[in-house]
């Protein structure tokens, strides 16, 4: 049985990590520290061309804030949250990207100390232009706390052509379309069983009353009337309170949404990056069924 110290590992095809690239790291640390209650640890030595600061929640790694810079410490790139996709072999996966109509914007390389790399990464662009990272884990397995308030909840691929997106990510990552669950959900078959064996032994019992296969869902593939891109969502206890806190700290609210299962807000942080604040708000009958299952 899994316990509180079981490492969260990510099979091939499962989004495993996110980070923010931004010009003003200190300002971003202040903003997100207030918003989500994160604590921070610098991972690069003083004088390095850039910074990589890992954020933790309740003592577990949640995400990171980074500045990717040239040797003269000039920021490179646009501020954005990035999603990392776990792969068994980054070199093999990166080679497949071009065959599937995408591109590799930075070749696979080791990240971290040569003797104990954090992992191996390649930056890729899919067949519709959405950028992400492939990640073969070394010592950094991926996010160790997720779905709790103040942590990463989900990544969605926003795409003008769902079929074309799945023609890319299906062969690359083993994603399977799940139209029987809800529009825009992709599964990695067996992921729910992996969670049950490792960090979430009660997942199947808790999800007894949801459609089969829901535990295998790993990402959203959401129809959108805009260029393809990845979007990240963070769990919050109260959408309205978190949105108000973000606004007080300089964020802009772009959109709010109510659904059967959640209350969300899309915001733009003070540095130009978009993210979603998502409050889990399921129907009462679902909560009643979960409570009843917990008594069994």
């Amino acid at each position: 049985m899994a316990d509180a110290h079981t490492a969260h590992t990510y099979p091939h095809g499962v989004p495993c990590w996110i980070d923010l690239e931004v010009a003003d790291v200190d300002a971003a640390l202040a903003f997100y520290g207030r918003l989500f209650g994160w604590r921070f640890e610098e991972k690069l030595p003083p004088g390095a061309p850039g910074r990589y600061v890992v954020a933790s929640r309740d003592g577990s790694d949640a995400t990171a804030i980074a500045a990717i810079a040239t040797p003269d410490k000039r920021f490179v790139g646009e501020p954005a949250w990035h999603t990392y996709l776990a792969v068994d072999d980054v070199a093999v996966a990166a080679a497949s990207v071009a065959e599937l109509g995408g591109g590799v914007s930075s070749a696979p390389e080791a990240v971290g100390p040569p003797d104990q790399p954090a992992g191996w990464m390649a930056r890729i662009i899919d067949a519709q232009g959405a950028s992400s990272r492939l990640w073969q884990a070394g010592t950094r397995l991926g996010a160790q706390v997720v779905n709790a308030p103040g942590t990463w909840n989900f990544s969605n691929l926003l795409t003008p052509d769902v079929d074309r997106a799945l023609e890319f990510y299906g062969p690359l990552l083993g994603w399977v379309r799940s139209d029987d669950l809800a529009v825009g959900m992709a599964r990695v078959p067996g992921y729910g069983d992996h969670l049950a064996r490792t960090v979430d032994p009660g997942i199947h019992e808790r999800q007894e009353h949801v459609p089969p296969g829901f535990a295998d869902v790993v990402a959203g593939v959401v129809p959108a009337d805009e260029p393809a891109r990845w979007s990240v969502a963070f769990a919050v206890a109260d959408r309205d309170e978190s949105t108000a806190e973000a606004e007080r700290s300089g964020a802009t609210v772009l959109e709010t949404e109510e659904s059967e299962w959640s209350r969300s807000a899309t915001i733009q942080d003070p540095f130009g990056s978009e993210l979603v604040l998502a409050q889990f708000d399921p129907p009462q009958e679902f909560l009643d069924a979960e409570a009843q299952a917990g008594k069994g």
Side-chain angles (χ1 to χ4, degrees), residues 1-293:
M1 176 178 288
D3 59 34
H5 303 290
T6 302
H8 194 147
T9 56
Y10 295 84
H12 181 89
V14 179
C16 60
W17 184 249
I18 57 171
D19 60 22
L20 171 68
E21 291 185 2
V22 65
D24 192 338
V25 170
D26 289 329
L29 299 181
F31 174 82
Y32 285 100
R34 286 192 299 269
L35 183 60
F36 293 135
W38 294 341
R39 295 182 178 275
F40 301 103
E41 180 183 0
E42 297 272 359
K43 290 297 184 180
L44 297 182
R51 293 172 67 184
Y52 202 81
V53 184
V54 170
S56 63
R57 175 83 187 211
D58 298 328
S60 297
D61 289 354
T63 181
I65 296 175
I68 307 302
T70 60
D72 62 358
K73 300 185 180 181
R74 178 173 52 85
F75 178 70
V76 175
E78 296 294 326
W81 281 98
H82 297 285
T83 295
Y84 289 64
L85 308 167
V87 293
D88 292 335
D89 187 316
V90 70
V92 170
S96 298
V97 168
E99 298 171 3
L100 295 167
V104 177
S105 51
S106 72
E109 61 180 348
V111 177
D115 56 337
Q116 282 191 314
W120 294 263
M121 181 184 72
R123 294 179 175 87
I124 68 166
I125 300 171
D126 72 15
Q128 297 182 82
S131 65
S132 60
R133 284 93 166 92
L134 302 178
W135 183 256
Q136 178 186 337
T139 60
R140 181 163 300 285
L141 303 175
Q144 295 302 300
V145 56
V146 295
N147 298 327
T151 69
W152 178 34
N153 172 239
F154 208 57
S155 285
N156 288 299
L157 175 67
L158 309 180
T159 170
D161 189 334
V162 170
D163 290 336
R164 188 179 177 199
L166 289 171
E167 288 170 1
F168 178 85
Y169 291 99
L172 180 67
L173 301 177
W175 285 7
V176 175
R177 187 169 186 158
S178 291
D179 289 334
D180 54 329
L181 296 176
V183 173
M185 288 190 175
R187 297 185 298 116
V188 169
Y191 183 51
D193 292 339
H194 172 83
L195 292 173
R197 289 192 303 269
T198 56
V199 295
D200 194 352
I203 186 170
H204 291 310
E205 291 74 15
R206 289 200 322 279
Q207 296 187 359
E208 180 182 358
H209 301 282
V210 301
F214 188 78
D216 293 338
V217 170
V218 299
V221 186
V222 182
D225 187 20
E226 60 178 289
R229 64 183 178 89
W230 281 89
S231 170
V232 300
F234 293 89
V236 295
D238 187 297
R239 180 200 64 183
D240 296 338
E241 288 184 5
S242 295
T243 300
E245 174 59 39
E247 285 187 293
R248 284 193 294 270
S249 298
T252 301
V253 178
L254 303 177
E255 180 184 24
T256 59
E257 184 177 356
E258 319 283 335
S259 75
E260 183 183 7
W261 292 89
S262 68
R263 306 175 70 238
S264 64
T266 301
I267 69 170
Q268 185 178 69
D269 71 17
F271 323 105
S273 301
E274 287 189 19
L275 61 147
V276 176
L277 307 177
Q279 174 189 344
F280 185 49
D281 189 27
Q284 186 60 45
E285 55 265 30
F286 174 82
L287 297 175
D288 293 342
E290 271 206 330
Q292 187 62 39

